[in-house]
Amino acid sequence: MDTQALALALPLIGWASHTALLTHRLATARRDPLTGLRTRAGWTALAERIIRRHRDAVVLLLDLDDFKNLNDSHGHAAGDVALAVTAERLATWCGRHGIAARLGGDEFVAIARQAPDLESLHRALRQPVAYAGRRLPVSVSVGSCHVKDLPVRSLSDALATADSAMYADKGKAGRRGTRPLSR
């Protein structure tokens, strides 16, 4: 290759390499490294599109109960396993008709185009998590909002309604702080 052709090609090669690197960084920024779920940034635009197109959509907010106690009693590796298993169960429930994300810490969010069976999600989330030869109890508070029940279909209103429902779920008798973790 002659010098002039090389001089013309190098900026193009550099630009292509830089574009590939930025594309990779953007894709990884939209996925939670622990759970593989989308992050808030990767989830929000898709959720807004689903709300606009699907009147029967349901938005969920989830929070692991007593997560600090789990980490303190069994270690952060056990907490990581509980987060990963919860993410897998939520993603399985969403299937092809929804999207799940990890907001951070022990908080998750999901949207489904149609209101699937919420009781099946509750049953799946209440199953103990296997870790280091033990079965660790897991409790998850879930709040939901059916988009068709909102006066105006908006993601922020759906999330606020689901958030209120989640905290009401946390306040139910027999919840939060009532089950000791086995060693």
Side-chain angles (χ1 to χ4, degrees):
M1 181 178 269
D2 68 20
T3 311
Q4 188 175 16
L6 186 60
L8 290 173
L10 279 178
L12 292 175
I13 293 169
W15 178 80
S17 298
H18 184 69
T19 300
L21 176 66
L22 290 178
T23 302
H24 175 71
R25 284 186 179 171
L26 182 60
T28 57
R30 293 185 179 196
R31 293 278 178 186
D32 176 60
L34 177 64
T35 64
L37 294 180
R38 294 180 184 277
T39 61
R40 181 188 304 260
W43 180 82
T44 301
L46 295 170
E48 287 175 341
R49 188 172 351 152
I50 289 172
I51 284 177
R52 281 193 309 273
R53 294 180 181 175
H54 300 279
R55 178 172 159 64
D56 292 331
V58 61
V59 174
L60 305 175
L61 273 176
L62 300 87
D63 182 73
L64 274 71
D65 299 327
D66 296 319
F67 186 67
K68 181 179 180 340
N69 189 24
L70 175 75
N71 276 333
D72 291 349
S73 299
H74 299 283
H76 290 281
D80 286 351
V81 169
L83 291 171
V85 168
T86 299
E88 180 182 329
R89 291 172 179 173
L90 181 58
T92 297
W93 178 82
C94 285
R96 295 183 2 240
H97 304 290
I99 304 159
R102 180 177 176 207
L103 295 179
D106 62 342
E107 297 178 343
F108 296 87
V109 65
I111 187 167
R113 288 182 278 224
Q114 300 168 354
D117 178 22
L118 290 175
E119 186 53 39
S120 67
L121 176 63
H122 284 279
R123 278 192 307 275
L125 293 173
R126 285 191 295 255
Q127 297 301 311
V129 171
Y131 174 74
R134 298 185 205 120
R135 293 177 53 78
L136 304 177
V138 176
S139 175
V140 181
S141 294
V142 180
S144 64
C145 173
H146 295 267
V147 173
K148 66 183 173 189
D149 296 337
L150 295 172
V152 176
R153 288 192 289 178
S154 76
L155 182 58
S156 61
D157 289 348
L159 288 169
T161 301
D163 189 51
S164 294
M166 181 186 70
Y167 279 101
D169 191 39
K170 277 190 180 299
K172 288 181 182 175
R175 302 281 309 192
R176 196 161 179 89
T178 60
R179 284 194 256 166
L181 292 172
S182 60
R183 275 218 177 256

